[in-house]
Amino acid sequence: MSERFPGVYASRGLFVCFEGGEGAGKSTQSRLLRDRLEAAGRVVLLTREPGATPVGAEVRRIVLDPATGELADRTEALLYAADKAEHLHAVVGPALERDEVVVTDRYVDSTLAYQGAGRSLDGAELEWVARWATGDLRPHLTVLLDLEPSQGLTRFEGRDRIEGESIEFHLRVRAEFLRLAAVDPDHYLVLDARAPVAEITEAVHARLAPLLEGALR
Ligand code: Z5A
């Protein structure tokens, strides 16, 4: 963590993020966590990047539609950063202020992994942009669902702009996700995404339980 961006953690609410490669089960686990917490009486906001705001929906269409064709790496990175800034401003920040549990399917680590390690933009410069866009707000917990890219990609039929990248690209992405988790173990939970869905759900809940009680916040 740099001196300029030491990380900011919300003093209200709980901010949880799911990260990982394609088909790792992020959407599945985000929904299951939301359902379980709501059943326990928590107010939960389930959201995602890119595309959770009207501006974000436009960004999502541009960055993921194969019809967009070639984009400069910096253009792509800035579009994702714009989606994040709007997401933080309009969705995540207000929900945390209302003391809700925010569960997001992807966040800053996706930029560091896909645009940084994947596209090979300068990591430090890119991190500056992504942290600036989000006011350096970090999740209290990021759950990394780790999966061999060849397995994740076979969980899908259609391919968008990024899913269509080479296996080497996806291997670099996976390695970067794992590196980010390794340098900050207090804020990460790394799980084998090949495990049964219910087993992953239990592991996430076990790690979150003390955070929900506020003990480790
Ligand atoms: N991107 C970026 O480059 N930079 C950024 O800053 C951000 C994003 C924020 C978003 O795509 C793309 O944007 C993404 C990175 C890039 N790259 N691509 N491509 P998206 O939102 O369309 O999709 P995604 O985020 O990659 O998620 P996904 O591909 O939809 O997969 P998932 O949410 O991780 O998995 P799932 O939908 O929950 O499950 C996939 C299938 O596997 C489904 O049939 C499940 O039933 C099954 N599944 C789930 N769990 C299991 C287990 N445990 N075992 C077996 N099968 C399972």
Side-chain angles (χ1 to χ4, degrees):
M1 272 170 253
S2 73
E3 217 170 84
R4 180 70 180 81
F5 291 109
V8 173
Y9 296 90
S11 56
R12 293 169 62 83
L14 186 70
F15 188 19
V16 182
C17 173
F18 283 87
E19 292 280 14
E22 288 69 43
K26 300 175 297 298
S27 314
T28 303
Q29 292 299 332
S30 306
R31 280 195 300 272
L32 288 169
L33 177 61
R34 188 259 326 262
D35 294 350
R36 186 165 178 164
L37 293 178
E38 284 185 347
R42 303 271 178 178
V43 179
V44 182
L45 180 95
L46 178 58
T47 186
R48 68 168 181 177
E49 290 187 1
T53 64
V55 166
E58 285 297 306
V59 170
R60 183 180 178 89
R61 184 186 58 74
I62 295 166
V63 292
L64 294 183
D65 188 348
T68 296
E70 283 280 310
L71 273 181
D73 291 352
R74 287 170 191 236
T75 306
E76 183 185 73
L78 288 168
L79 286 166
Y80 277 113
D83 172 72
K84 284 179 206 312
E86 194 62 17
H87 191 207
L88 249 290
H89 171 76
V91 178
V92 175
L96 291 171
E97 269 303 306
R98 295 192 300 268
D99 219 8
E100 296 177 7
V101 180
V102 176
V103 179
T104 185
D105 184 344
R106 296 195 181 280
Y107 187 55
V108 167
D109 287 8
S110 283
T111 282
L112 303 180
Y114 286 90
Q115 283 66 57
R119 302 276 189 233
S120 303
L121 289 171
D122 181 274
E125 289 177 357
L126 183 68
E127 181 164 13
W128 199 99
V129 172
R131 301 287 183 213
W132 177 81
T134 54
D136 201 19
L137 187 77
R138 313 271 176 116
H140 295 102
L141 182 70
T142 294
V143 179
L144 173 56
L145 298 176
D146 179 51
L147 189 63
E148 179 71 38
S150 56
Q151 292 188 28
L153 293 169
T154 58
R155 287 181 178 175
F156 288 103
E157 285 172 6
R159 291 198 154 196
D160 60 28
R161 276 184 71 250
I162 287 181
E163 283 159 357
E165 290 292 336
S166 68
I167 200 73
E168 289 75 22
F169 174 97
H170 290 287
L171 288 169
R172 291 198 298 277
V173 168
R174 181 193 191 192
E176 179 64 4
F177 276 132
L178 287 168
R179 188 193 69 77
L180 290 164
V183 296
D184 190 12
D186 288 351
H187 295 103
Y188 283 82
L189 173 65
V190 182
L191 296 172
D192 185 341
R194 294 171 303 177
V197 169
E199 200 176 292
I200 294 172
T201 306
E202 282 308 315
V204 171
H205 199 73
R207 176 68 184 266
L208 272 179
L211 289 170
L212 284 163
E213 295 309 315
L216 300 178
R217 302 261 303 278

